[in-house]
Amino acid sequence: MISRWKFEGKLILPVACGLLLLAIGALSLALAVVATRPPKLIVVPGVRESSVVVADQVPDGAVRRFGLLYVYHLDDYSPTTVEERSNWVLQFVAPEHQEKVAKSLTERAIYAVRAREASQVVLPLPAQCEVTRTKDGLLRFSATGTRTIYIAGDRKSEERVRYVLELKPAIPTDDAPYGLLVVGQAVRPVPPEEAKGRTAAREEKR
């Protein structure tokens, strides 16, 4: 009886070593798979079609489509949609700017509901938008559109507006799947002289 237990005890060590080697082999294989996995992809839903781009290598076309979607949600709203669109915009604002932007969007939403204000924006085609890259790694999106403001259903004003966004590439998340975050934005009325010049230039091209 004693000798049998001693014999079985001698088998425990080799078996344990074998299991340990198998576990190490499985772990090494898993690490190799992770190390050789392709870089994370960003799926960018477009206006007409989707694009797949690699992080930190965002093509101009993807920037244009994102910029147009952002501007549309930012400045095209009604009293019933202003809150929803403000929340959509906020998820693509860089964390360090969210508090300030959230305050501004909230104040605008309160006013829009109280004054029954609506804003309608007509934006250009993606190819007519400008994309530049700055030395500090940011992307600058620019587009000129027509914004019409309504109060209680009556048109209050209509003007040409220039939208400029400064964007930085970011790792995509469930909340911000585009791989782009807004770090700066400006909305400026286009001077009448400049607007007339742009209109005349477009007519000459036709």
Side-chain angles (χ1 to χ4, degrees):
M1 198 54 141
I2 295 176
S3 60
R4 183 168 67 85
W5 280 107
K6 287 184 178 181
F7 178 73
E8 291 177 352
K10 292 178 181 179
L11 293 177
I12 292 175
L13 183 58
V15 171
C17 291
L19 293 174
L20 181 59
L21 290 174
L22 287 175
I24 293 174
L27 180 59
S28 300
L29 180 61
L31 291 174
V33 170
V34 172
T36 57
R37 182 178 298 171
K40 191 167 186 178
L41 298 179
I42 307 169
V43 178
V44 185
V47 176
R48 294 185 178 178
E49 59 185 7
S50 297
S51 300
V52 178
V53 297
V54 181
D56 299 328
Q57 298 177 11
V58 185
D60 289 356
V63 176
R64 291 187 180 99
R65 289 190 288 271
F66 171 78
L68 287 172
L69 284 171
Y70 182 91
V71 169
Y72 175 74
H73 283 79
L74 174 69
D75 231 12
D76 193 288
Y77 58 86
S78 68
T80 58
T81 64
V82 63
E83 183 178 356
E84 177 186 354
R85 298 199 173 187
S86 296
N87 291 335
W88 190 96
V89 165
L90 192 59
Q91 67 181 328
F92 295 106
V93 175
E96 62 269 26
H97 301 291
Q98 282 194 354
E99 183 177 355
K100 180 179 179 180
V101 175
K103 181 180 178 181
S104 176
L105 291 174
T106 299
E107 292 175 350
R108 185 189 68 173
I110 293 173
Y111 174 80
V113 173
R114 183 181 302 165
R116 297 169 61 191
E117 179 191 68
S119 174
Q120 184 180 58
V121 177
V122 178
L123 298 172
L125 295 173
Q128 297 173 319
C129 303
E130 299 175 11
V131 175
T132 56
R133 298 170 187 269
T134 65
K135 295 181 179 180
D136 51 359
L138 297 179
L139 301 162
R140 183 173 290 120
F141 166 88
S142 302
T144 301
T146 301
R147 180 176 63 184
T148 306
I149 300 295
Y150 296 88
I151 298 294
D154 296 327
R155 189 171 73 171
K156 179 182 178 183
S157 64
E158 180 177 296
E159 60 182 348
R160 296 285 288 172
V161 179
R162 184 75 169 173
Y163 298 93
V164 180
L165 304 178
E166 287 196 343
L167 312 168
K168 71 175 181 180
I171 297 175
T173 64
D174 291 339
D175 293 331
Y178 293 89
L180 291 167
L181 290 176
V182 178
V183 296
Q185 66 184 40
V187 181
R188 303 187 184 96
V190 176
E193 306 78 26
E194 183 180 343
K196 290 180 181 179
R198 290 177 179 271
T199 301
R202 285 197 299 270
E203 290 178 352
E204 287 180 3
K205 290 182 179 179
R206 292 176 185 175

